[in-house]
């Protein structure tokens, strides 16, 4: 069986005090609503073998954030295998975005569990900009390597 694959875009923008800021999305749904630390993620999603990873990353950004993906250049941050086995590929892109303009995609799930009721929830319930130190505390632990790779890439730029 082939591992599931996801792709996404990590937006960053210059910031006078922090050097850069990183755009993260707070995971939606009842399992995450009261969590903050470790409950934020890079906008991303699954794709199949018929779709190119960067095309999937751009599509998923639109689905999760509700805005068109920023134009490149896209900086490859590589892949990380998640604890569950999923292989995630991320690109960084310098862009600015007003979080208030986001219109989040939704998913359905049975809630409460074993109730037989299907409810709809946002994939991400909000997006926000964070300085790198704060982003490290917010991000799902398995996605922190992408943040570190971006910061290394930016440090070696100039």
């Amino acid at each position: 069986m082939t591992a599931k694959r996801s792709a996404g875009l990590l937006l960053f923008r210059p910031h006078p005090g922090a050097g850069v800021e990183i755009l993260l999305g707070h995971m939606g749904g009842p399992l995450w609503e009261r969590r903050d630390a470790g409950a934020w993620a890079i906008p991303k999603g699954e794709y199949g073998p018929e779709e190119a990873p960067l095309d999937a990353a751009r599509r998923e950004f639109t689905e999760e954030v509700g805005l068109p993906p920023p134009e490149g250049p896209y900086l490859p941050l590589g892949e990380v295998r998640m604890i569950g086995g999923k292989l995630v590929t991320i690109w960084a892109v310098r862009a600015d975005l007003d979080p208030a303009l986001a219109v989040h995609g939704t998913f359905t799930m049975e809630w409460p569990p074993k109730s037989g009721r299907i409810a709809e929830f946002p994939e991400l319930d909000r997006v926000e900009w964070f300085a790198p130190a704060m982003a490290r505390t917010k991000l799902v632990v398995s996605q922190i390597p992408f943040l570190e790779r971006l910061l290394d890439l930016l440090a070696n730029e100039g």
Side-chain angles (χ1 to χ4, degrees), residues 30-158:
L31 303 176
W32 300 100
E33 67 185 342
R34 289 187 174 83
R35 297 181 191 179
D36 189 53
W40 294 73
I42 298 166
K44 63 173 181 35
E46 290 185 10
Y47 66 96
E50 71 289 342
E51 189 173 20
L54 183 54
D55 292 342
R58 291 174 48 84
R59 174 184 52 76
E60 284 292 336
F61 184 85
T62 299
E63 287 180 14
E64 293 207 349
V65 179
L67 298 170
E71 293 305 316
Y74 295 103
L75 309 172
L77 299 179
E79 298 176 332
V80 171
R81 188 167 302 279
M82 302 291 117
I83 293 168
K86 183 186 289 184
L87 196 58
V88 176
T89 306
I90 300 294
W91 285 264
V93 58
R94 185 183 315 258
D96 201 354
L97 174 148
D98 181 352
L101 300 177
V103 180
H104 306 291
T106 60
F107 70 96
T108 57
M109 68 182 272
E110 183 180 20
W111 192 259
K114 300 180 183 175
S115 67
R117 291 195 312 240
I118 301 298
E120 189 172 61
F121 301 98
E123 291 190 46
L124 300 175
D125 56 25
R126 63 192 181 276
V127 293
E128 292 182 28
W129 290 100
F130 295 102
M134 183 61 73
R136 272 186 204 91
T137 70
K138 302 283 186 183
L139 256 174
V140 174
V141 173
S142 59
Q143 293 181 18
I144 292 174
F146 294 117
L147 173 62
E148 300 301 337
R149 290 174 188 176
L150 172 61
L151 295 175
D152 288 346
L153 193 68
L154 295 175
N156 291 324
E157 245 183 15

